[in-house]
Structure formats: C-alpha cells, structure tokens
C-alpha cells in the first residue's frame, strides 16, 4: 500500500515538473510574440514597405532591407538546396553503409550545430577578402553554407522513409539507380523534401552573424550582387542598438516581419507534411 | 543433372547449372542444378531460410543491388544462351528480360497507368497511343482492367492490396518479359485476393515462363507444373508437381510435405 502511494506521489511530482517546464517554454514564446506584436504592429505602415532605411531622425522604411533579405535568402537556398539534395541523396541511396557516408554524416551533424558566426568568418576569408569588399553574393553564400547541412539531413531522412521495396520494384523493371531516384524516390518523398527546403529557408532568413561579415549593410537601395546589400537582420541589429527612437521603432517592425515570415513558413511546412503526408507513403 | 530430373521437360527455358551463391563468405546456395520449363509454372518450396527466395533473386540479379553478392556456376537462358549470372552480363540487361513480382505489393506512388508504362518508358516507348494500348493489354492480362478502366489516372495507392498486387503483375507483364519471378506473391493477401492471383498465375503459363516461391504447399500443388524442394541451400528434389507431392523420391521431401518439419 505504501509502495503504491509512493509511486503515486512520484508520478504526481514528475507530471507537475514536466508541466511546469512546458509552461516556462510556452510562456517565453508567448512573451516574445507579445512583445513583438505590441511594439511592432503600431509602427507598421505603408512607408515600411515603400521607403528606404532612413538616417537618424528622419522618416523612412525597410524596403531595401526587405528586398535584400529576400534576394539573399532566395539565392542562398538556390545555392544550398541543390547541393544539399544531392549530398543527402548520396547518403541515403548511393553511399548507404559505406565508410565515406558515415564520415560525411558525422561532419554534417557537426556543421549543423556550428556557430553561424564561424560560417560568417569562413565566407569572409573565402570571398570578402578576395573581392576586397563586402557583397550580397558573399552573404548569399554564407546563408547557403548554413542551409546546406539542414538540407542534407532532411533529404537523407525523407529519402529513408521511402520503402526499399519501391526501389526494388523499379530496379526489377530494369531501371538504373539514377532513374529510380528521380522517377520514384523523389516523387514519393516530394512533400518531405519541400518541407525540408522551407524549414531551411526559415532557418536562414533570420541569420544575422554570417551576414555581418559578408553582406554587411547598405543605407540605400542596391540590387548589385557584388556590392554590400541591406538586409533585415543586420538592420535590426544596427537600429536596435542605436539611441534613436525612429530606428528602434523600425527595428521592432523588422523583427516582427521576420518572425511572422518564419512562423507562416513553418505552419505551411507543417501542414504540407500532415495534409499530404499520407499520399506519399504507399502501403498505408 | 540426371535423367529423371530432365524427364518431362521438352525444351527448358532456362538451365541452372552448378549454381552457388554467396553473401560475403556465407554460402547460401550450394551447387543447384535444375531446368526451368518453358511456359510452365515452376514452384520453389522449402522451410524458411532454405534459400528459395535467394535462388529466385539470382534470376534477375537482385542480389547485385547489395554489396558482397557472388555467384558461381550459371543460369543459361534459352534460346539465346545468355548466362544470367555471368560476370560480363549487365544486371540491367537481365532485369530488362526477366520480370519480378514481390511479396508485398509495391506499386509506385503514381497513377495506375503510369505504373504500367514505367517499364515501357524505360525501354524507350514514347508514343501515347502505343502506351495506352499497352496499358489496356497488360491490365487485361492481369485481370484488373474492368476494375480500374475508369480511373487509370488516379493514384495506384488507393487500390486494395489484391488490386495492387495485380497491378504489379500488369507492370511486369507490360514489358513482355521472357520469365516472371514471383516471390511469395500472396503471403500479404486475404484468401479471396489470393485465389484471384493464383488463377491469374495459372493462366499466365500460356504466354510466359513462371518461377514462383511459395511457403504454401497447397498453393504449389494447385498452380505449378513442376516443383523444386529446397533445404538448407540445397536442392533436394525436383520433379513434376504431381510426382513430388504424391511420390517423392527423397525422405526429406516426404517429411516436409507431410508436415513433419518446416
């Protein structure tokens, strides 16, 4: 009887502790969202999307920063995703069980958790020093390096979910491995791969450190990839640290925009996999 | 190969000669010898782990997809006398000739029609009318046409298990293979679906050579013309199905078919 009571108490304690921990996590997330909304929403107006970042004390918007972020994020994923897709394909298909794939997987996992400022420094050495100045292309490359391990990991995981029997079916009909991968495995894993790419976009769209060393910032409109380019994270960093009220206000708006973007993207990615997930998995 | 073994087979489609197979250093098949009768159903039976599936997968070189597979001996496919397990023979070429249906239905996550045309497109067929014609032919051949003719372009994954398996048979039939391998094709199906597949396989013997692995002796007795009994990687006995089940010459065969082990 006393053992049973002790177990009940233990269970109650463990249950309460985990509920409490969950509550802390949710409360922090709620606080962040609430702060962003309350400080940011009021300052959102048309000018934010139509005007350039202002000098201190004058009115302006975030147009050049939004544009720069979109360009560099897109370019980053365009560089990172195909390489990640192919590397993940190697790990899941061609290199299964080989020593090389074990090594690549390990290095990829390390890279997955590498501090992003290191990536920034790496691209700084690789491109910025050689070009002699900061540039949007260097920023995009830095973001690609961040996106790469995410893509490799999700690609491998998603391809491994495709049943082996399907590959056998294709091979038995006389298909070369590459044909099987492009015609059977990729389509079967399409939703998962798409979700992975979107999560990679979400991941890099808020990165600041790698851009500080590569794209830097630009007070003005620039669409020249070989020159420094404005972007939301660095603008937020710069404006939030400034003593000027207008700048701080814009920083809040920028932070809100990025957060909403990442939130929307994550929700879409999530619903792709839950809404359409079943259709890509044969045999239930 | 002794005379009693070849007796009853006029012109074999394939001849297995001293075939041994290794997974790494493990010898899974030990010097097998038997003919595969042309346009007949040959069944491989034996207890779990006896090597019957391993034997089957030599015919289309599925083992080559894994590292460490090694063959000795030969499987000569007539009339062109190609050695299916020959070192110089490309496994892809072998799979182009020999179809396979697996234990668990494995349709591709595409439409019913695209499943059937997959092998044909691989072989370079492009004409839409030709492909459409082939789809109907193959689905009729697999006794599936009437059930799916109105939804050829909907997903194959919405079919029932038995329909999926018949689609897989249609997919193999479409490429007009010289032989079709069945690896326990009904073990994942209910009795009604099983009956349909058995009927289908029995009907197929008119046009194609069939080699089937089954764990179900009644099934072998029902649908096959010849049966080979395997045990621990060895071929114990090969005979016409009627002979093997009523008058086996080997003690071990008799023990197995009377249910003493396995």
């Amino acid at each position: 009887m006393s053992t049973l009571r002790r177990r009940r108490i233990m269970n109650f304690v463990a249950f309460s502790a985990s509920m409490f921990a969950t509550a802390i996590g949710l409360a922090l997330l709620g606080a962040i969202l609430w702060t962003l909304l309350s400080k940011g929403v009021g300052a959102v107006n048309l000018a934010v999307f139509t005007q350039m970042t202002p000098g201190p004390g004058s009115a302006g918007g975030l147009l050049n920063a939004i544009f720069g972020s979109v360009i560099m994020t897109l370019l980053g994923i365009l560089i990172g995703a195909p390489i990640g897709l192919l590397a993940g394909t190697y790990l899941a298909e061609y290199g299964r069980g080989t020593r090389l794939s074990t090594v690549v997987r390990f290095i990829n996992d390390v890279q997955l958790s590498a501090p992003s400022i290191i990536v920034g420094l790496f691209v700084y050495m690789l491109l910025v020093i050689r070009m002699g100045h900061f540039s949007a292309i260097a920023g995009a490359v830095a973001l690609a390096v961040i996106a790469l391990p995410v893509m490799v990991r999700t690609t491998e995981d998603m391809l491994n979910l495709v049943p082996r029997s399907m590959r056998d079916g294709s091979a038995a009909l006389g298909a070369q491995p590459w044909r099987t991968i492009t015609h059977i495995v990729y389509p079967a894993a399409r939703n998962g791969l798409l979700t992975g790419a979107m999560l990679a976009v979400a991941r890099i769209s808020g990165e600041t450190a790698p851009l500080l060393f590569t794209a830097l910032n630009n007070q003005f409109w620039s669409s020249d990839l070989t020159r420094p380019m404005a972007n939301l994270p660095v603008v937020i960093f710069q404006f939030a640290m400034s003593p000027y009220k207008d700048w701080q206000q814009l920083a809040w708006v920028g932070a809100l925009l990025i957060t909403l973007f990442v939130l929307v993207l994550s929700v879409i990615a999530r619903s792709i996999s839950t809404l359409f997930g079943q259709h890509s998995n044969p045999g239930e | 190969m002794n005379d009693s073994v070849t007796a009853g087979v006029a012109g074999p489609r394939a001849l297995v000669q001293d075939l041994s197979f290794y997974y790494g250093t493990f010898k899974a098949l030990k010097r097998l010898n038997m003919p595969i009768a042309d346009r007949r159903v040959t069944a491989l039976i034996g207890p779990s782990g006896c090597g019957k599936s391993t034997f089957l997968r030599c015919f289309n070189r599925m083992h080559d997809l894994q590292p460490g597979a090694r063959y000795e001996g030969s499987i000569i496919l007539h009339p062109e006398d190609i050695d299916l397990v020959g070192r110089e023979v490309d496994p892809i070429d072998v799979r182009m000739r020999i179809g396979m249906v697996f234990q668990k239905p494995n349709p591709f996550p595409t439409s019913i029609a695209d499943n059937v045309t997959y092998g044909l497109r691989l072989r370079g067929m492009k004409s839409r009318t030709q492909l459409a014609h082939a789809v109907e032919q193959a689905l009729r051949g697999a006794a599936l046409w009437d059930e799916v003719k109105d939804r050829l372009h909907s997903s194959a994954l919405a079919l029932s298990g038995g329909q999926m398996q018949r689609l897989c048979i249609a997919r193999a039939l479409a490429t007009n293979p010289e032989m079709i391998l069945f690896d326990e094709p009904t073990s994942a199906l209910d009795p009604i679906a099983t009956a349909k597949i058995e009927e289908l396989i029995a009907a197929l013997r008119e046009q194609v050579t069939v080699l089937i692995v089954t764990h179900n002796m009644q099934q072998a007795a029902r649908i096959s013309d010849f049966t080979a009994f395997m045990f621990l990687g060895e071929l114990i006995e090969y005979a016409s199905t009627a002979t093997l089940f009523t008058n086996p010459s080997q003690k071990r065969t008799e023990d197995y078919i009377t249910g003493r082990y396995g």
Side-chain angles (χ1 to χ4, degrees):
Chain A
M1 197 58 196
S2 79
T3 339
L4 190 62
R5 240 189 96 187
R6 203 171 61 234
R7 285 182 187 168
R8 280 209 180 121
I9 292 169
M10 273 309 292
N11 184 52
F12 180 76
V13 170
F15 175 74
S16 312
S18 52
M19 281 301 280
F20 182 64
T22 310
I24 291 180
L26 284 178
L28 283 174
L29 185 67
I32 290 172
L33 281 177
W34 175 247
T35 313
L36 278 173
L37 283 171
S38 59
K39 305 243 183 186
V41 166
V44 176
N45 53 38
L46 195 62
V48 169
F49 302 100
T50 54
Q51 295 183 21
M52 306 303 152
T53 45
S58 51
L62 293 169
L63 177 61
N64 50 341
I66 294 172
F67 173 79
S69 268
V70 169
I71 290 292
M72 284 188 279
T73 302
L74 272 183
L75 211 57
I77 203 74
L78 281 179
I79 299 169
I83 302 175
L85 183 75
L86 287 173
T89 302
Y90 174 79
L91 292 181
E93 305 289 333
Y94 291 102
R96 270 164 48 84
T98 60
R99 186 172 289 265
L100 177 62
S101 69
T102 314
V103 172
V104 170
R105 194 174 297 117
F106 176 73
I107 292 176
N108 192 66
D109 282 353
V110 170
Q111 216 191 326
L112 206 53
S113 46
S116 57
I117 196 154
I118 307 289
V119 173
L121 280 170
F122 166 68
V123 177
Y124 178 82
M125 304 281 285
L126 191 76
L127 287 178
V128 178
I129 288 186
R130 284 183 206 185
M131 289 171 80
H133 52 79
F134 298 105
S135 67
I137 190 72
V141 169
L143 294 181
V145 174
I146 306 257
L148 183 63
V150 181
M151 278 303 292
V152 172
R153 179 37 114 35
T154 47
T155 301
E156 188 190 2
D157 288 350
M158 293 306 146
L159 297 189
N160 278 334
L161 286 180
V162 178
R164 207 113 306 262
S165 65
M166 228 183 249
R167 297 175 176 82
D168 287 349
S170 174
L173 284 163
Q176 299 276 3
W178 180 240
R179 173 100 181 184
T180 300
I181 291 166
T182 51
H183 283 67
I184 304 297
V185 182
Y186 281 167
R190 192 189 59 218
N191 293 329
L193 296 175
L194 218 70
T195 306
M198 290 175 93
L199 292 177
V201 169
R203 167 79 201 274
I204 61 176
S205 58
E207 285 291 346
T208 317
L211 293 179
L212 269 174
F213 284 97
T214 51
L216 197 61
N217 199 353
N218 193 329
Q219 197 72 43
F220 309 102
W221 173 268
S222 166
S223 55
D224 184 350
L225 291 179
T226 63
R227 312 304 308 179
M229 194 181 268
N231 56 85
L232 282 172
V234 175
V235 166
I236 292 169
F237 174 70
Q238 190 190 337
F239 281 20
M241 301 294 280
S242 76
Y244 313 110
K245 267 261 156 319
D246 308 341
W247 276 18
Q248 288 170 6
Q249 197 63 257
L250 275 173
W252 281 114
V253 174
L256 180 65
L257 286 180
I258 290 188
T259 308
L260 287 182
F261 175 71
V262 170
L263 197 70
V264 167
L265 214 58
S266 302
V267 169
I268 293 176
R270 220 12 91 80
S271 34
I272 284 181
S273 46
T274 50
L275 277 183
F276 308 106
Q278 294 90 336
H279 295 289
S280 65
N281 273 349
E284 277 88 68
Chain B
M1 175 116 347
N2 61 46
D3 293 324
S4 69
V5 164
T6 39
V9 185
R13 185 65 194 224
L15 209 51
V16 181
Q17 290 172 323
D18 287 333
L19 179 73
S20 294
F21 175 77
Y22 301 80
Y23 288 116
T25 55
F26 174 67
K27 192 171 187 177
L29 298 177
K30 296 162 189 166
R31 295 180 71 98
L32 309 186
N33 283 285
M34 70 180 264
I36 309 294
D38 187 28
R39 275 166 291 166
R40 288 289 179 275
V41 177
T42 302
L44 301 173
I45 62 168
S48 298
C50 70
K52 51 194 192 298
S53 281
T54 303
F55 182 32
L56 187 82
R57 284 160 182 258
C58 291
F59 283 81
N60 68 343
R61 302 278 292 272
M62 285 304 275
H63 297 302
D64 293 47
L65 296 174
Q66 315 293 335
R70 189 162 62 83
Y71 309 87
E72 273 169 14
S74 60
I75 301 177
I76 304 296
L77 183 71
H78 299 310
E80 289 159 80
D81 293 349
I82 304 161
D83 180 7
L84 296 180
V85 297
R87 244 176 260 276
E88 70 292 349
V89 177
D90 184 351
I92 302 278
D93 291 339
V94 173
R95 294 181 203 131
M96 287 282 188
R97 294 164 169 273
I98 313 265
M100 181 162 184
V101 175
F102 295 79
Q103 185 167 358
K104 203 176 158 224
N106 57 352
F108 302 136
T110 54
S111 73
I112 292 169
D114 286 348
N115 263 274
V116 179
T117 56
Y118 187 77
L120 295 170
R121 290 177 199 273
L122 267 178
R123 287 158 180 76
M125 188 186 281
K126 289 208 171 69
S127 143
R128 275 171 187 280
T129 49
Q130 251 182 316
L131 286 170
H133 179 71
V135 167
E136 180 170 349
Q137 282 279 95
L139 288 173
R140 279 190 191 282
L144 189 59
W145 174 253
D146 290 331
E147 290 160 61
V148 301
K149 64 183 175 205
D150 300 319
R151 46 173 172 153
L152 292 175
H153 298 287
S154 53
S155 171
L157 302 183
L159 297 173
S160 73
Q163 289 173 325
M164 282 186 187
Q165 194 61 306
R166 276 179 283 148
L167 177 62
C168 292
I169 295 175
R171 190 169 74 186
L173 276 180
T175 61
N176 215 357
E178 295 170 48
M179 188 189 293
I180 299 191
L181 313 171
F182 289 87
D183 190 0
E184 301 199 9
T186 61
S187 62
L189 303 179
D190 64 70
I192 295 171
T194 298
K196 282 190 180 168
I197 302 278
E198 285 190 7
E199 234 171 83
L200 179 55
I201 292 173
L204 282 179
R205 89 182 78 197
E206 307 289 321
Q207 26 166 334
V208 63
T209 302
V210 172
L211 188 58
I212 178 171
V213 165
T214 173
H215 65 284
N216 178 334
M217 280 181 284
Q218 287 74 34
Q219 182 168 69
R222 280 193 297 267
I223 63 174
S224 71
D225 302 290
F226 298 92
T227 300
F229 171 62
M230 292 179 66
F231 187 66
L232 297 177
E234 284 180 72
L235 179 64
I236 305 299
E237 187 166 357
Y238 168 83
S240 76
T241 300
T243 311
L244 190 123
F245 278 100
T246 56
N247 190 17
S249 64
Q250 299 288 318
K251 177 82 169 55
R252 277 181 291 187
T253 313
E254 191 180 339
D255 286 350
Y256 182 69
I257 60 177
T258 53
R260 232 162 278 176
Y261 64 88

